[in-house]
Amino acid sequence: MIFTLPNGMRVALRQHAGNVSYAGVLINAGTRDEPAAAHGLAHFVEHTIFKGTPTRSAWNISNRMESIGGELNAYTSKETTSVYTVAPAGYEGRAAELIADLIENASFPAAELDKEREVIVEEINSCLDNPADYVFDRFEELLYRGSRLENSILGTPESVRSITGADCRAFISRFYNPANMVGFLSTPLPEAKALRLLERYWGRILRDGARPLREAPEPIGRFEETKDDDGHQAHTIVGTRLFARTDPRRFPLMLLNNYLGGPSMNSRLNYQLRDRRGLVYTVESVMSLLSDTGALYIYFGTDRRSVDKCLRIIYRELDALAQNTLSPRRLDKIKAQYCGQLLVSSDNAESMAMAQGKNLMFYGSETDIPALAARLREVSAEEIRGVAELLVPSAMSHLTLM
């Protein structure tokens, strides 16, 4: 169920049988919404929002959920930030009140910020030392160059060390407001009781603010880059820009992405590169759709001598999908597998709670797995080929770090 609280904040409420509840707030602001002079601010706020309020110390905040066996957590993406809890059922009020206190009253004490800066700098250095992670940041830097989307979520050591408490408070004041947030609560509580609880705590957030003003990134040309640091393994991403998350072509893309390099061992690229030839340990295809643009990436790690061979195989597979329409039998199998994966994933209460928040933020509706599966079953082979035509080798950029 979707409700609108008296302050205008929308909330997705999902009832489930069980002993655990999930509560969180999703903010429509992320890395691309930072001021140019404060690269990494959204992620820094996500780390330091837990560091104190006028009535709670950092220890009090972390202990509030952990003392009853729960957890308080957060994440940042290019366009969103989320603060959420997992807790035993019966503590929904504690969770909702704590989240409200952080959003309304986070104070960002200077001493705590100084400590957390160094934690984040270590996180940045860890990413730079791990090419399997860094290759994604570098690819997006090239793919979205010239726009705010090129910035990594973590920022740089220099930018993180320059962020102040005033920067954090300004970011929260601007974006952490009811019109720019959605909430989600997945709980065994009766609906009426859960709604009263949300009205009491989240309905009291009365801050005015803004919604992000975003400029779509300009088109770019195809690129190729290889950086050789004499590593043992090569990490490569092949990808291209696509369309936004509301584009109807997202449905055939979901099927195509899962067929190419989804989480199953029988994905097409896993079969061709790993099972058949033993060239890679990992290959995956990732669709990343945003409010006004998007991309598809194929990542693989291989011996440095095998990069070109892997690229040829991937390009051959992409070209075949663009040139040939899938047979009815193959298409039915692709649909059955992906729709089955959706149903299996819907049994995970935590992932479904998070999905409810994202669906409300991105599409203004509840997550309806049967309806999504029904829509995917309507996708035609021609629609999949139409999306595959956007992935022809001449459109794909690639980056290799080794």
Side-chain angles (χ1 to χ4, degrees):
M1 300 289 289
I2 294 175
F3 298 94
T4 301
L5 301 179
N7 60 358
M9 180 175 170
R10 294 169 298 156
V11 178
L13 175 60
R14 178 173 181 263
Q15 292 178 281
H16 70 269
N19 300 313
V20 181
S21 65
Y22 308 88
V25 169
L26 196 66
I27 301 98
N28 180 30
T31 305
R32 74 180 301 186
D33 307 304
E34 302 161 347
H39 179 194
L41 176 58
H43 177 255
F44 192 84
V45 167
E46 174 233 303
H47 266 244
T48 56
I49 195 173
F50 305 133
K51 296 305 178 180
T53 71
T55 59
R56 286 187 169 110
S57 67
W59 186 88
N60 293 141
I61 290 169
S62 64
N63 192 55
R64 184 67 175 156
M65 300 310 299
E66 291 178 2
S67 65
I68 47 92
E71 96 180 46
L72 172 66
N73 214 331
Y75 71 82
T76 307
S77 72
K78 295 285 188 177
E79 293 190 326
T80 58
T81 309
S82 184
V83 179
Y84 62 94
T85 64
V86 182
Y91 289 96
E92 292 84 355
R94 178 181 293 218
E97 187 276 331
L98 179 60
I99 291 170
D101 188 30
L102 298 178
I103 289 171
E104 288 184 296
N105 303 312
S107 55
F108 303 101
E112 294 289 344
L113 298 194
D114 289 342
K115 289 186 288 187
E116 200 64 24
R117 282 191 191 93
E118 298 313 308
V119 171
I120 296 172
V121 168
E122 286 305 308
E123 186 179 359
I124 294 168
N125 291 335
S126 176
C127 178
L128 293 174
D129 285 343
N130 187 343
D133 291 336
Y134 176 61
V135 69
F136 285 90
D137 281 351
R138 177 58 181 161
F139 189 82
E140 289 195 336
E141 184 180 339
L142 296 170
L143 189 70
Y144 293 120
R145 60 188 180 271
S147 77
R148 295 286 178 83
L149 286 169
E150 73 176 339
N151 293 335
S152 76
I153 290 169
L154 300 180
T156 66
E158 296 75 20
S159 67
V160 167
R161 288 189 173 118
S162 71
I163 293 172
T164 66
D167 294 327
C168 297
R169 288 186 287 272
F171 192 78
I172 285 228
S173 179
R174 182 177 183 188
F175 293 123
Y176 285 50
N177 62 81
N180 199 48
M181 303 188 302
V182 300
F184 60 87
L185 176 61
S186 181
T187 175
L189 285 179
E191 180 182 297
K193 185 175 181 179
L195 186 56
R196 286 196 302 271
L197 182 151
L198 295 177
E199 289 176 343
R200 178 181 178 185
Y201 294 115
W202 294 351
R204 77 186 189 194
I205 302 172
L206 300 176
R207 180 186 293 127
D208 292 328
R211 295 179 67 84
L213 297 175
R214 295 167 177 160
E215 294 183 5
E218 295 292 330
I220 61 161
R222 182 176 179 269
F223 60 85
E224 296 182 3
E225 180 178 292
T226 299
K227 183 179 180 183
D228 192 342
D229 287 332
D230 202 28
H232 177 71
Q233 191 177 45
H235 302 270
T236 299
I237 290 185
V238 181
T240 190
R241 290 250 204 106
L242 291 175
F243 37 78
R245 67 169 66 96
T246 54
D247 193 298
R249 290 174 291 179
R250 69 185 183 276
F251 299 110
L253 178 63
M254 290 176 187
L255 295 171
L256 179 60
N257 177 67
N258 196 61
Y259 172 64
L260 274 173
S264 299
M265 295 296 288
N266 70 346
S267 72
R268 185 66 182 172
L269 294 180
N270 194 76
Y271 169 73
Q272 291 290 356
L273 295 178
R274 176 173 169 158
D275 288 355
R276 185 175 176 185
R277 296 175 174 86
L279 293 172
V280 304
Y281 175 69
T282 300
V283 58
E284 60 178 332
S285 178
V286 179
M287 54 180 281
S288 175
L289 303 185
L290 303 172
S291 59
D292 53 11
T293 188
L296 181 132
Y297 316 138
I298 297 168
Y299 163 81
F300 63 90
T302 188
D303 183 275
R304 54 194 296 128
R305 296 167 298 182
S306 300
V307 172
D308 288 342
K309 185 174 184 179
C310 290
L311 286 171
R312 286 195 298 272
I313 294 167
I314 290 171
Y315 288 150
R316 187 185 67 206
E317 292 296 325
L318 294 175
D319 193 55
L321 286 165
Q323 297 296 326
N324 305 294
T325 303
L326 292 167
S327 69
R329 183 182 178 189
R330 172 66 64 185
L331 180 59
D332 287 345
K333 286 185 175 181
I334 291 171
K335 291 178 180 179
Q337 179 173 1
Y338 190 53
C339 291
Q341 289 172 346
L342 288 175
L343 291 173
V344 170
S345 68
S346 70
D347 199 47
N348 184 312
E350 182 172 359
S351 67
M352 280 300 296
M354 302 289 282
Q356 290 284 3
K358 291 178 181 178
N359 222 64
L360 180 54
M361 173 71 76
F362 299 152
Y363 304 111
S365 62
E366 294 183 88
T367 302
D368 187 335
I369 296 298
L372 175 57
R375 175 64 182 85
L376 290 168
R377 291 190 185 98
E378 295 175 355
V379 171
S380 69
E382 281 299 325
E383 286 179 293
I384 291 180
R385 191 165 77 90
V387 172
E389 288 174 348
L390 303 175
L391 308 176
V392 292
S394 60
M396 302 294 278
S397 298
H398 85 257
L399 166 68
T400 297
L401 303 181
M402 56 187 176

